[in-house]
Amino acid sequence: RKEVEQDPGPFNVPEGATVAFNCTYSNSASQSFFWYRQDCRKEPKLLMSVYSSGNEDGRFTAQLNRASQYISLLIRDSKLSDSATYLCVVNYGGSQGNLIFGKGTKLSVKP
Amino acid sequence: NAGVTQTPKFRILKIGQSMTLQCTQDMNHNYMYWYRQDPGMGLKLIYYSVGAGITDKGEVPNGYNVSRSTTEDFPLRLELAAPSQTSVYFCASRTDRVSGNTIYFGEGSWLTVV
């Protein structure tokens, strides 16, 4: 069974805090990984892809650990506008092109 | 940049009625998906398609049907609507490259069955 597990939260943090989310996946054949952001009553939107070497985009850093089968997202200097649900997405590839979504981790950044 | 377009955005159905949610994309993507998201829950895959003429069931296909006659369009049909189908429905598409691809979502269709 292909599964993607996330801590649902909520994570309640003050502005300026650093917060980290983890996501574990069950299938070692997974081929690509993403973090999506979903605002309340909106569609999910790509935040960043996750590469084996790790990658950074401004205040956001994503890392992949294939041996332990988890990916992480680190947000530094949290802003009020970072409040959202963060979805971990795993692409198992193959002819079916199957994408598995985690249930999401809710982040609330407070003043 | 139209991307993925869904209609209608909001709809109220009576129990037993049928309707079709329309989805079209202009990115020439082969892969298209229909998800539903219940309040406070994650996305659940209803149906997906890897190209025109090819569809397959996802995790929760019961009560739904799809077709894929063209690359652009992937309508979702609800037959005999039930209250359990009250949800937000997202259509999505992506390329068929194995890695580095991005899935694009429509803005969602809010459906209430009463």
Side-chain angles (χ1 to χ4, degrees):
Chain A
R1 181 178 172 85
K2 302 181 179 73
E3 292 184 343
V4 175
E5 301 289 341
Q6 293 184 252
D7 182 340
F11 284 62
N12 298 309
V13 303
E15 271 187 292
T18 296
V19 61
F21 307 137
N22 287 328
C23 166
T24 59
Y25 60 95
S26 60
N27 191 317
S28 59
S30 304
Q31 297 189 353
S32 53
F33 310 86
F34 309 88
W35 284 102
Y36 274 71
R37 169 191 170 130
Q38 186 174 24
D39 294 296
C40 187
R41 299 180 66 79
K42 296 287 188 181
E43 76 274 22
K45 293 184 178 178
L46 179 68
L47 178 66
M48 57 198 305
S49 300
V50 187
Y51 303 117
S52 296
S53 56
N55 47 302
E56 187 174 308
D57 183 3
R59 298 181 293 107
F60 299 85
T61 300
Q63 292 193 317
L64 167 64
N65 185 319
R66 283 191 181 272
S68 300
Q69 295 182 199
Y70 79 83
I71 66 174
S72 64
L73 177 67
L74 181 75
I75 305 175
R76 292 180 298 278
D77 188 22
S78 299
K79 311 292 185 189
L80 296 176
S81 57
D82 293 334
S83 297
T85 297
Y86 291 83
L87 306 175
C88 173
V89 184
V90 175
N91 179 5
Y92 286 96
S95 60
Q96 296 178 346
N98 204 5
L99 296 168
I100 306 296
F101 283 79
K103 293 183 178 179
T105 298
K106 187 172 182 179
L107 172 66
S108 180
V109 182
K110 305 293 186 182
Chain B
N1 290 340
V4 180
T5 303
Q6 290 180 235
T7 57
K9 185 145 189 176
F10 300 99
R11 182 74 187 267
I12 298 175
L13 274 182
K14 293 184 178 179
I15 295 172
Q17 285 186 320
S18 300
M19 74 162 296
T20 299
L21 298 177
Q22 302 291 345
C23 176
T24 188
Q25 52 91 9
D26 61 359
M27 298 173 280
N28 201 33
H29 287 167
N30 281 329
Y31 288 179
M32 295 189 74
Y33 306 84
W34 274 105
Y35 293 91
R36 62 176 284 175
Q37 187 175 35
D38 299 327
M41 303 297 287
L43 294 163
K44 293 186 177 179
L45 183 64
I46 305 171
Y47 270 95
Y48 67 98
S49 169
V50 300
I54 305 169
T55 62
D56 211 342
K57 295 177 180 178
E59 182 184 358
V60 289
N62 291 345
Y64 307 94
N65 276 301
V66 293
S67 59
R68 185 91 182 272
S69 57
T70 66
T71 298
E72 295 78 19
D73 300 309
F74 190 41
L76 177 72
R77 177 91 177 153
L78 280 73
E79 304 282 2
L80 298 175
S84 61
Q85 293 178 304
T86 294
S87 191
V88 181
Y89 292 84
F90 290 105
C91 179
S93 74
R94 68 174 183 90
T95 71
D96 53 0
R97 287 187 290 119
V98 171
S99 63
N101 48 52
T102 299
I103 184 168
Y104 296 89
F105 287 86
E107 293 185 339
S109 296
W110 272 254
L111 176 67
T112 301
V113 182
V114 297

